[in-house]
Amino acid sequence: MSESSNKSSNKDSGRNPQPERFQPKVLLIWLVIITAIIALWYSMPGAGSNQRQLSVSELIMAVNEGAVNQDSGVMKPDPTLGKEGYIVTGEMRNPKFDPDDINSKEPKLVPFRVEGRLTESDFLLLREVVAERRSSTALQEILVSFLPFLLIIGLLYFLFVRQLKNAGRGAMSFGKSKAKMLTREKDSITFKDVAGCDEAKEEVSEVVDFLRDPKKFQRIGGRIPKGVLMVGPPGTGKTLLAKAVAGEADVPFFTISGSDFVEMFVGVGAARVRDMFEQGRKSAPCIVFIDEIDAVGRQRGAGLGGGNDEREQTLNSLLVEMDGFDGHEGVIIIAATNRPDVLDNALLRPGRFDRQVTIDLPDLNGRHEILLVHAKKIALDESVELEHVARNTPGFSGADLANLLNEGALIAARYNKKVVEMQDLDEARDKISFGRERRRLMDDEDRKITAYHEAGHALVQAVVDDGHLPVHKVTIIPRGQSLGSTMFMPKKDVLNHSKRRLLNQVCCGMGGRAAEEIVMGDITSGASGDIRMVTKTARHMVCDWGMTELGPVAYGENKDHIFLGQEIERSQNYSEQTAQKIDTAIHDIVEEQYHRSLEILNKHRKELDVCAEALLEHETIDGKHVLEILEFGEMRSPVIKREIVSENAQGSEGDGVEGSAAEEDNKNSDKGELAGEDTPVGAPA
């Protein structure tokens, strides 16, 4: 009982006060003040109306003449006018009003007011015409006298005193930490909800185990890491893993973003760091999660302006708090970033971030596990094979896979389906990898050029492929910024690039240009994206991978780093003669494979025409159709087209049954690469 109470008190002490919101009682108070001011205004003599001031004698004369309206008059004593002083108000007939004059615009009755002393006979006369009101008490007179002062004092309080108090509180809260403490809920995220990164889960689970049972590690002299840095590409699940740690650990969990330390005032970031660790010490043992730590952890003294003093002060405070003279026993820091290269070296040393956990893109088994987790919320058809989807999505991150299932559900709903089918997921994969189909109006000439261009890519790849990267789909329907696409589907995750397969990819990339030259006798700008892709691949082969006569020497050190985290550096560690040899080697690779693609297409000219005609007729054909054309000279399998059953579809998702997870050819686009430094062959970029 005492332990649970201590935990609850620690949580309450570490929780930040919620920001003040607009309170309804403040609005009620202001309404009361405004109402009182209006009542005071109308209670003042002569306020609220244009009353006619009369003397007592004029009033008596009007009463004798019968000019006073008997239903509207009021007579009440007024001690300020003496013992027999009275105030008489009411309405009387307008003497200027002529009842016989139709055009007269004067009012029939006008209000009047009389202040003065009344004799006994005048009092008795007026009492028959107007009503008598009792005299006000002393309390009423005091309230009427002091009400204006009370209103002024109340107004000054709410306008000045309260605002000054709030301003002072806000000024003092600049240095308070914005870290939020998460509480365990029923639907909190646990390790069961995280898939595709088993090694990373084991790394952070040690932290959770230490917090649950520290004697298990202390018994043999073990010391828990003070900090864990999670590194990986965007969308791989770094923040999700931190949420799972919060769900698994039965200790206070504070979360804050790196940008929350940045403020327009000097010294606020460092103050917030100190306050955050102070809250952590009060709630120890606890976990503090800093998301996107590169916002404050960049290298000091570097960049275009020589660094940022405010950011460096914040970083210095973070370094001291993590491992300084004042220890923070029981406060474990977990940070996440996708830019570990720009972090300061002092932040990465043991004693601060002792452990770096790399969360990379998931492999085949990881993608399958991620799909199983996210598929629990999606109504899938029985025919859907998630293992097949995982095999066809190399290079996809966890966020991409979640988006894939969501897009598939949206497409199925667009076609008025109750469950998500396999073709919906394939279509969603094409949409994510290459963009949405666009029914761009093209004339016959552009369609013909695009058809032969894509047919050239498909036939060359079908000829040179060894079963590693088969053709999956060919289409002349514009997607994204491209007018057509040739899609490939890798049989497995590509971890290494062989010289033979890279040359085949360069040959396939130049297939579109070669087809244009053979058929049209001319070349177009549609191969601009292909040229950039093959040039980049050839440059990697020469400069990075040592696949030419220049030998296994790296020539890729000529780089510019122009961002705040690093210095501007430009180095060239090879001579001009070597640079000329590099350019010659790149040119020879591209030129040789271009002539190779010309030989292949000239040899299969008939198949090229058949494939292009099929594209012009059906707009989209599958990889099996390309193989049939190459083997039999014609398509023997039917082309299945997707019928639109919903009016909302508007024909935008018209063709295609199979999806792709590979590479596209770009017409007039900068997208799509046959091989890249970090992107596997055929994987979505």
Side-chain angles (χ1 to χ4, degrees):
M1 181 70 181
S2 61
E3 185 179 357
S4 61
S5 61
N6 292 333
K7 290 182 180 180
S8 61
S9 62
N10 290 335
K11 292 182 179 180
D12 293 337
S13 63
R15 184 173 301 171
N16 287 335
Q18 297 293 329
E20 292 189 0
R21 299 180 178 178
F22 183 78
Q23 300 178 358
K25 64 180 183 180
V26 178
L27 179 61
L28 181 62
I29 294 174
W30 279 105
L31 291 177
V32 171
I33 293 175
I34 295 174
T35 304
I37 293 175
I38 295 174
L40 179 63
W41 169 258
Y42 278 98
S43 65
M44 296 177 61
S49 61
N50 296 324
Q51 294 179 336
R52 184 177 179 183
Q53 297 291 333
L54 300 179
S55 62
V56 177
S57 58
E58 292 176 343
L59 178 60
I60 298 298
M61 186 181 298
V63 171
N64 293 328
E65 295 176 355
V68 178
N69 187 8
Q70 298 183 3
D71 298 331
S72 61
V74 176
M75 179 176 59
K76 60 180 180 179
D78 188 3
T80 59
L81 300 177
K83 185 177 180 181
E84 299 177 351
Y86 287 87
I87 297 177
V88 184
T89 56
E91 294 180 347
M92 60 181 297
R93 224 175 29 251
N94 191 355
K96 298 181 180 181
F97 177 73
D98 187 5
D100 298 332
D101 188 4
I102 304 178
N103 298 325
S104 179
K105 298 181 180 181
E106 297 290 337
K108 296 180 181 181
L109 299 175
V110 294
F112 68 87
R113 180 183 177 90
V114 178
E115 298 179 2
R117 293 184 175 183
L118 300 179
T119 61
E120 185 175 357
S121 59
D122 296 339
F123 176 78
L124 297 175
L125 178 63
L126 292 175
R127 193 171 62 177
E128 298 178 356
V129 180
V130 299
E132 183 182 4
R133 185 177 296 177
R134 296 179 59 184
S135 176
S136 58
T137 62
L139 180 61
Q140 293 176 344
E141 294 179 1
I142 293 174
L143 291 177
V144 171
S145 302
F146 288 96
L147 183 61
F149 300 100
L150 295 177
L151 291 175
I152 294 174
I153 294 173
L155 187 64
L156 291 176
Y157 173 78
F158 283 100
L159 283 180
F160 297 101
V161 179
R162 187 178 177 88
Q163 295 296 328
L164 289 175
K165 185 184 297 185
N166 293 335
R169 188 186 308 146
M172 297 302 294
S173 65
F174 280 130
K176 298 295 183 181
S177 174
K178 293 185 177 181
K180 302 177 181 178
M181 188 172 72
L182 302 180
T183 58
R184 294 196 64 180
E185 300 177 354
K186 295 182 180 179
D187 299 331
S188 60
I189 298 175
T190 60
F191 285 151
K192 297 180 181 179
D193 302 321
V194 182
C197 52
D198 297 335
E199 296 82 2
K201 285 197 296 184
E202 292 178 0
E203 295 279 355
V204 297
S205 62
E206 293 182 1
V207 177
V208 178
D209 294 339
F210 180 84
L211 293 174
R212 290 178 176 177
D213 187 16
K215 296 181 180 179
K216 175 183 177 181
F217 298 86
Q218 296 174 354
R219 191 179 301 114
I220 56 178
R223 180 181 61 84
I224 196 67
K226 294 184 178 181
V228 178
L229 180 64
M230 294 188 294
V231 180
T236 52
K238 298 183 294 295
T239 305
L240 181 65
L241 186 58
K243 293 181 180 179
V245 173
E248 292 286 344
D250 192 17
V251 294
F253 189 93
F254 297 91
T255 176
I256 191 172
S257 174
S259 61
D260 291 335
F261 297 106
V262 182
E263 194 61 73
M264 61 180 292
F265 300 100
V266 178
V268 171
R272 288 178 177 176
V273 170
R274 292 190 292 268
D275 185 72
M276 179 185 67
F277 278 89
E278 185 65 26
Q279 293 182 24
R281 294 187 186 98
K282 293 179 181 179
S283 304
C286 68
I287 298 175
V288 178
F289 175 66
I290 305 176
D291 200 5
E292 306 295 343
I293 195 174
D294 54 281
V296 294
R298 290 179 178 266
Q299 293 181 5
R300 292 168 292 179
L304 294 175
N308 187 296
D309 292 337
E310 174 61 19
R311 179 173 52 79
E312 291 182 3
Q313 290 182 14
T314 306
L315 177 58
N316 292 333
S317 179
L318 181 62
L319 296 176
V320 172
E321 292 292 339
M322 290 188 66
D323 189 21
F325 283 99
D326 296 331
H328 63 287
E329 294 293 333
V331 182
I332 298 176
I333 307 297
I334 299 178
T337 181
N338 52 18
R339 294 293 306 276
D341 55 318
V342 302
L343 295 180
D344 194 272
N345 294 327
L347 193 64
L348 302 176
R349 74 162 178 82
R352 293 193 173 104
F353 284 112
D354 305 80
R355 181 176 300 177
Q356 292 190 21
V357 180
T358 301
I359 306 177
D360 207 348
L361 294 174
D363 56 2
L364 177 60
N365 296 330
R367 292 195 298 272
H368 187 209
E369 295 175 357
I370 293 173
L371 289 172
L372 290 176
V373 171
H374 293 290
K376 297 178 181 179
K377 303 178 182 179
I378 305 295
L380 297 178
D381 188 67
E382 296 179 354
S383 62
V384 175
E385 298 180 1
L386 295 180
E387 186 177 357
H388 177 73
V389 177
R391 187 178 295 108
N392 296 338
T393 52
F396 274 46
S397 64
D400 294 330
L401 295 173
N403 187 34
L404 171 65
L405 293 177
N406 184 63
E407 288 289 342
L410 296 179
I411 293 174
R414 187 184 306 138
Y415 288 95
N416 295 331
K417 296 181 180 180
K418 295 183 179 180
V419 293
V420 180
E421 299 177 355
M422 193 67 188
Q423 62 179 6
D424 300 321
L425 296 179
D426 292 338
E427 190 171 343
R429 185 175 61 249
D430 291 346
K431 182 179 179 181
I432 295 174
S433 302
F434 312 109
R436 183 184 177 93
E437 290 184 352
R438 299 182 295 111
R439 295 293 177 176
R440 174 180 290 181
L441 184 62
M442 294 190 297
D443 56 15
D444 295 338
E445 183 181 0
D446 290 333
R447 283 172 53 86
K448 183 179 180 181
I449 294 175
T450 305
Y452 275 98
H453 187 102
E454 303 304 332
H457 285 305
L459 284 178
V460 172
Q461 182 64 21
V463 171
V464 303
D465 182 50
D466 57 355
H468 174 73
L469 193 66
V471 179
H472 179 61
K473 182 189 294 185
V474 187
T475 180
I476 59 173
I477 300 176
R479 284 185 177 269
Q481 298 181 356
S482 64
L483 297 180
S485 303
T486 302
M487 309 172 189
F488 312 122
M489 183 182 294
K491 292 297 184 182
K492 64 176 185 178
D493 294 348
V494 179
L495 303 178
N496 293 305
H497 306 288
S498 65
K499 180 179 180 180
R500 177 173 55 86
R501 290 174 178 174
L502 289 173
L503 292 176
N504 291 339
Q505 291 173 18
V506 175
C507 182
C508 174
M510 299 305 296
R513 167 63 67 89
E516 293 179 4
E517 183 177 349
I518 293 174
V519 178
M520 306 298 174
D522 195 4
I523 55 178
T524 67
S525 61
S528 60
D530 302 328
I531 294 174
R532 280 191 291 270
M533 278 189 299
V534 299
T535 304
K536 185 176 182 180
T537 302
R539 186 172 296 277
H540 282 303
M541 294 176 64
V542 176
C543 299
D544 298 327
W545 301 328
M547 296 181 177
T548 61
E549 296 178 356
L550 296 177
V553 181
Y555 299 105
E557 299 296 330
N558 190 4
K559 298 181 181 180
D560 292 336
H561 302 285
I562 307 178
F563 53 90
L564 294 179
Q566 294 187 2
E567 298 281 359
I568 300 177
E569 94 181 37
R570 183 172 182 89
S571 60
Q572 182 171 334
N573 52 8
Y574 50 86
S575 63
E576 294 296 333
Q577 291 79 7
T578 304
Q580 186 176 0
K581 292 180 180 179
I582 292 174
D583 295 337
T584 303
I586 295 174
H587 178 270
D588 292 342
I589 292 175
V590 177
E591 191 70 19
E592 180 182 352
Q593 297 305 315
Y594 178 61
H595 289 293
R596 180 187 175 191
S597 63
L598 285 173
E599 294 177 359
I600 294 174
L601 293 179
N602 282 322
K603 183 179 179 180
H604 300 277
R605 173 60 191 274
K606 182 180 179 181
E607 291 82 356
L608 178 64
D609 294 333
V610 175
C611 186
E613 292 174 359
L615 287 173
L616 292 173
E617 180 181 358
H618 302 288
E619 294 185 332
T620 300
I621 60 176
D622 296 333
K624 62 181 180 180
H625 298 137
V626 178
L627 295 179
E628 291 173 356
I629 293 173
L630 189 62
E631 184 177 359
F632 305 106
E634 61 179 359
M635 291 193 309
R636 296 189 175 184
S637 301
V639 178
I640 303 176
K641 292 187 176 182
R642 184 165 190 171
E643 297 181 358
I644 300 173
V645 296
S646 175
E647 296 181 355
N648 296 329
Q650 298 178 353
S652 59
E653 305 289 341
D655 298 334
V657 175
E658 297 289 336
S660 99
E663 196 50 61
E664 81 171 295
D665 165 58
N666 291 296
K667 298 274 293 181
N668 300 322
S669 173
D670 297 339
K671 299 174 64 179
E673 298 177 358
L674 291 178
E677 182 178 2
D678 301 319
T679 304
V681 180

